[in-house]
Amino acid sequence: MTVTAPKGFRAAGVTAGIKTSGNRDVALVVNDGPSAAAAAVFTMNRCEAHPVTWSRKAVADGSISAVLINSGGANCFTGAFGYETVEVTAAAAAAKLGIADTDVLVCSTGLIGAGDQTFRDGVLKGIDLAYDALGTDTESGEQAADAIRTTDSVIKVGVREGTGGYTIGAMAKGAGMLAPGLATMLVVITTDADLESAALDAALREATRVSFDRVDSDGAMSTNDTVALLASGASGITPDTAEFTELLRGLCNDLAKQLQQDAEGASHDITITTMGAASETDAVNVSRAVSRSNLFKAAIFGNDPNWGRVLAAIGTTDAEFVPEQIDVSMNGAMVCKAGTPYVPVDQVDLTPRETTVLINLHAGDAEATILTNDLTHDYVHENSAYSS
Amino acid sequence: MTVTAPKGFRAAGVTAGIKTSGNRDVALVVNDGPSAAAAAVFTMNRCEAHPVTWSRKAVADGSISAVLINSGGANCFTGAFGYETVEVTAAAAAAKLGIADTDVLVCSTGLIGAGDQTFRDGVLKGIDLAYDALGTDTESGEQAADAIRTTDSVIKVGVREGTGGYTIGAMAKGAGMLAPGLATMLVVITTDADLESAALDAALREATRVSFDRVDSDGAMSTNDTVALLASGASGITPDTAEFTELLRGLCNDLAKQLQQDAEGASHDITITTMGAASETDAVNVSRAVSRSNLFKAAIFGNDPNWGRVLAAIGTTDAEFVPEQIDVSMNGAMVCKAGTPYVPVDQVDLTPRETTVLINLHAGDAEATILTNDLTHDYVHENSAYSS
């Protein structure tokens, strides 16, 4: 059910003491091959964390044999010492595994600015513990998925089976700072398919473009986002790339949905679809503008079908539309038709957690969907009551 | 102290029954001349309200003799009937005052989608009542300022005196949907200075650019924003345009500050200044990106100097900077120096309502300030508990 589902992968998740909570905080995922082909996408945030800087370089040759992940500290804006920590810990993991330093992808998540000597010692201890705990079983994979959690209330995992018997497995974390920038969280995807890194890269970019890039829970782009795809080739199957991409996209969508459903403090999962757009870009921009309106998000929390806030958000975009032609539906009721009130708002039931907003711009044939959440007291509480 | 302070202006604020609360809901401001020179700036929201569409046309000739404002309904997305309401009510006010329909500027504020026959009847009744109540005294001006309130807890007014004895007076409303787009609220500014509309327009654009355009309380741009400047010329003084612009800028800044201080549900007034920027645009974009980070805003609500969230927001901009050179100070304590933790966060006191964030990009000499507020339980409550 997770990264150990495909042949050729071992994983572990251990408690190294980085988190004061005593929860698991270091995960290791190892690709035993025969292939070490890999691809990864990273945050577009220009203030990127040290592990991202390292990992961009590490994956540049298309080869990665292990992913080292810690929670409990982002190792971002931690100065030269922070980058050195990435080098030191990658080297330690590589030495244990008998691989090159640059075949270790490193990911961190937690508080920005956290990454001192204690943090480094914790990661190093975690590497030793994790190495000893590595296993190919489901439990090992689930423990790895558990170790990468921060404010996530549940683990996020998934698996897909391809034609001929190859498998794709995945784990993800992410509950806050969920907004696009290629990747928007930490995700490790494994497969025993036999594919070159260029094919993996193309499939990964296509899959993330329409999945993780379209989760916009709180408009805040993380400094540490990484989605890595590792292929062991252990199934001996080289799949059709179209099928592989489609499976990967489905898996990424599944994980994106899991992220949305576990977003910090949310009480509604809101699917905003814009159709009738002149271009896919227009559709994405319109859906995203609505997903970033605090007034709209607070109204949904209050079960208030305040469609005027949807239109006010649409009006901030440069998408092609004529205001007097726009339709807006909420949970199936067209509350605004051609820019005018239509179904009375008291006929809209917004009490279910699953909420849909459908916008028709009547300007073309393109459409796109953004997944977001409502703005709740719990969101404010979770993000004000303690640093994360 | 308000729009009746300059010579040549009458004002009134009355209860016409548009608001169910029984509070004042229709205001009328009349310029008795001798000049009727005027300028106005409007929302950049492409889904603009019908009164904005009307008023753009009305002010195009540089002449306005009256401003009719209602609260209790935005008359936006109300179809052809809504635009007709603007025409009908402007004509009614014009007939009472013996002026041309197109010399009446119309503004509305309240719920988007609200503007039916009952609304129209309310405004028409309000015109009759307001006409009878017009006065040049301070109380009349304050009643007008009261009538334009929605969720504003206090009236916002101001006055400035110019060399030789001319006066500028103003009233404003705005407590939610506060984000830029030229103007971001309803503001009426009066002056008895004798200036042509072109000079008024230049001064108004310069003043709003660095005042109202830099309040970004909740990132939500309204559909109805209007800032109007009316000059009666009744002082007989034609001021130096530099002095007039400077006075106007100071007055607009004063009102912008009043808007920030009364923002819905806020517990902190946050002044975000970016200095050392390569351009003013860079400085504005960086300050604004931080002001729109819900994570940052929630942290300030919790008195948590979480500077990592400041840097994560900076990283989403295309401003010129090197992450390793950025300094961030909060309430005078440099918590991040050259991209590395500096003053320990437990030495930062964020309990005062007035909060300052100073960012130094070390990329140039430009700077700019954005005024914003924190993200609080009360903000969520006010914007989820009822439609506004």
Side-chain angles (χ1 to χ4, degrees):
Chain A
M1 276 298 294
T2 175
V3 290
T4 52
K7 295 185 197 81
F9 289 93
R10 286 178 293 160
V14 299
T15 302
I18 303 171
K19 285 179 182 165
T20 52
S21 63
N23 291 329
R24 287 190 180 87
D25 45 20
V26 171
L28 194 59
V29 178
V30 179
N31 179 359
D32 289 317
S35 168
V41 290
F42 302 96
T43 184
M44 285 174 66
N45 197 306
R46 291 173 59 210
C47 291
E48 68 180 27
H50 295 305
V52 171
T53 308
W54 165 272
S55 295
R56 278 189 206 281
K57 287 185 271 192
V59 78
D61 66 354
S63 176
I64 289 294
S65 293
V67 184
L68 170 66
I69 313 179
N70 76 273
S71 53
N75 195 11
C76 179
F77 285 100
T78 47
F81 183 84
Y83 190 75
E84 198 184 86
T85 295
V86 181
E87 295 177 317
V88 167
T89 54
K96 276 277 186 188
L97 294 164
I99 59 178
D101 297 9
T102 55
D103 284 337
V104 180
L105 203 77
V106 181
C107 307
S108 296
T109 179
L111 183 66
I112 294 172
D116 59 7
Q117 183 67 51
T118 309
F119 169 85
R120 184 189 289 185
D121 293 343
V123 178
L124 289 170
K125 180 180 169 195
I127 292 166
D128 289 343
L129 293 172
Y131 179 80
D132 293 338
L134 284 169
T136 58
D137 54 316
T138 300
E139 194 183 347
S140 297
E142 287 177 351
Q143 287 174 355
D146 181 51
I148 65 175
R149 288 166 51 191
T150 52
T151 54
D152 305 69
S153 69
V154 292
I155 66 168
K156 284 103 178 173
V157 295
V159 69
R160 290 291 185 281
E161 301 290 340
T163 305
Y166 73 92
T167 302
I168 314 175
M171 66 180 187
K173 71 83 43 186
M177 272 207 184
L178 284 184
L182 272 189
T184 59
M185 61 287 304
L186 299 184
V187 183
V188 177
I189 308 168
T190 55
T191 181
D192 49 19
D194 191 12
L195 285 166
E196 297 299 311
S197 66
L200 295 174
D201 190 68
L204 184 62
R205 287 178 193 278
E206 176 55 25
T208 57
R209 189 179 72 81
V210 293
S211 55
F212 299 125
D213 279 5
R214 298 198 180 163
V215 180
D216 198 330
S217 176
D218 64 359
M221 188 200 293
S222 161
T223 51
N224 290 54
D225 303 331
T226 303
V227 182
L229 169 61
L230 280 61
S232 69
S235 69
I237 296 167
T238 298
D240 173 70
T241 54
E243 179 194 281
F244 183 82
T245 302
E246 191 52 40
L247 284 177
L248 191 63
R249 180 159 47 203
L251 180 58
C252 289
N253 272 327
D254 177 358
L255 292 169
K257 189 75 194 163
Q258 291 182 51
L259 293 167
Q260 179 196 29
Q261 289 169 340
D262 195 32
E264 286 173 348
S267 71
H268 288 80
D269 300 333
I270 312 171
T271 302
I272 305 173
T273 300
T274 300
M275 59 179 288
S279 68
E280 187 178 347
T281 303
D282 273 9
V284 169
N285 289 347
V286 165
S287 290
R288 194 182 304 289
V290 176
S291 81
R292 292 197 171 177
S293 165
N294 280 351
L295 289 173
F296 162 75
K297 290 155 72 93
I300 299 297
F301 168 54
N303 298 326
D304 172 13
N306 194 321
W307 54 269
R309 295 176 179 177
V310 173
L311 287 156
I314 295 171
T316 65
T317 71
D318 61 3
E320 215 176 283
F321 66 78
V322 176
E324 291 72 25
Q325 295 178 348
I326 300 175
D327 303 331
V328 177
S329 299
M330 288 179 158
N331 283 359
M334 192 177 286
V335 283
C336 174
K337 184 179 165 77
T340 310
Y342 195 61
V343 175
V345 291
D346 58 12
Q347 292 180 27
V348 183
D349 179 14
L350 289 178
T351 53
R353 184 176 174 104
E354 284 293 324
T355 308
T356 61
V357 175
L358 177 63
I359 298 155
N360 192 333
L361 298 178
H362 292 290
D365 295 322
E367 75 169 75
T369 296
I370 293 285
L371 305 181
T372 190
N373 297 99
D374 52 352
L375 178 60
T376 69
H377 290 301
D378 286 350
Y379 178 90
V380 174
H381 177 73
E382 280 203 41
N383 288 297
S384 63
Y386 62 94
S387 279
S388 62
Chain B
M1 277 297 293
T2 172
V3 289
T4 51
K7 295 185 198 79
F9 289 92
R10 288 178 292 158
V14 297
T15 302
I18 303 170
K19 284 180 182 165
T20 52
S21 63
N23 291 328
R24 288 189 180 86
D25 44 23
V26 172
L28 193 59
V29 178
V30 179
N31 179 0
D32 290 317
S35 169
V41 290
F42 301 96
T43 183
M44 285 174 67
N45 197 308
R46 293 173 58 212
C47 292
E48 69 181 26
H50 295 304
V52 171
T53 308
W54 166 271
S55 295
R56 279 188 205 281
K57 287 186 270 190
V59 78
D61 66 355
S63 176
I64 290 292
S65 294
V67 184
L68 170 65
I69 313 180
N70 75 272
S71 54
N75 196 11
C76 179
F77 286 101
T78 47
F81 183 84
Y83 190 75
E84 196 184 88
T85 294
V86 182
E87 294 177 317
V88 166
T89 54
K96 277 277 186 188
L97 295 163
I99 58 175
D101 297 9
T102 53
D103 283 340
V104 180
L105 204 78
V106 181
C107 306
S108 296
T109 179
L111 182 66
I112 294 172
D116 57 7
Q117 182 68 49
T118 309
F119 169 85
R120 184 190 289 185
D121 293 343
V123 178
L124 289 171
K125 180 182 170 193
I127 292 166
D128 289 343
L129 294 171
Y131 179 79
D132 293 338
L134 285 168
T136 58
D137 54 315
T138 300
E139 194 184 346
S140 297
E142 288 179 352
Q143 287 175 353
D146 181 49
I148 66 175
R149 288 165 54 193
T150 53
T151 55
D152 304 68
S153 70
V154 293
I155 66 167
K156 285 103 177 175
V157 295
V159 70
R160 290 292 185 279
E161 302 289 340
T163 306
Y166 72 91
T167 303
I168 313 175
M171 66 180 189
K173 70 84 44 186
M177 270 206 185
L178 284 185
L182 271 189
T184 59
M185 59 288 302
L186 300 184
V187 183
V188 177
I189 308 168
T190 56
T191 181
D192 49 19
D194 192 13
L195 285 166
E196 297 297 313
S197 64
L200 295 174
D201 189 68
L204 183 61
R205 286 178 194 280
E206 175 56 25
T208 56
R209 188 178 74 80
V210 294
S211 55
F212 298 124
D213 279 3
R214 296 194 181 168
V215 180
D216 198 330
S217 175
D218 64 359
M221 187 201 293
S222 162
T223 49
N224 289 53
D225 303 332
T226 303
V227 181
L229 170 60
L230 279 60
S232 69
S235 70
I237 297 166
T238 299
D240 174 70
T241 55
E243 179 194 280
F244 183 80
T245 302
E246 191 51 40
L247 285 177
L248 192 63
R249 181 161 43 208
L251 180 57
C252 288
N253 272 327
D254 178 356
L255 292 169
K257 188 77 192 162
Q258 292 184 50
L259 292 168
Q260 179 196 29
Q261 288 170 339
D262 194 32
E264 286 173 348
S267 71
H268 288 80
D269 300 332
I270 313 170
T271 302
I272 305 173
T273 299
T274 299
M275 59 179 289
S279 68
E280 187 179 345
T281 302
D282 274 9
V284 169
N285 289 347
V286 166
S287 290
R288 195 183 302 289
V290 176
S291 81
R292 293 199 172 175
S293 163
N294 279 349
L295 289 173
F296 162 75
K297 288 156 73 89
I300 298 298
F301 168 56
N303 298 326
D304 172 14
N306 194 321
W307 54 269
R309 295 178 180 179
V310 174
L311 288 155
I314 295 171
T316 64
T317 72
D318 60 2
E320 204 174 308
F321 66 79
V322 176
E324 292 73 26
Q325 296 179 348
I326 301 175
D327 303 331
V328 177
S329 299
M330 287 178 161
N331 283 358
M334 193 176 287
V335 283
C336 173
K337 185 180 164 78
T340 310
Y342 195 60
V343 174
V345 290
D346 57 13
Q347 291 180 30
V348 183
D349 179 14
L350 289 179
T351 53
R353 183 176 173 104
E354 284 294 323
T355 308
T356 61
V357 175
L358 177 63
I359 298 155
N360 192 334
L361 298 178
H362 293 288
D365 296 322
E367 75 170 75
T369 296
I370 293 284
L371 306 179
T372 190
N373 297 100
D374 53 351
L375 179 60
T376 69
H377 290 302
D378 286 349
Y379 178 89
V380 174
H381 177 73
E382 281 204 42
N383 288 297
S384 62
Y386 62 92
S387 279
S388 61

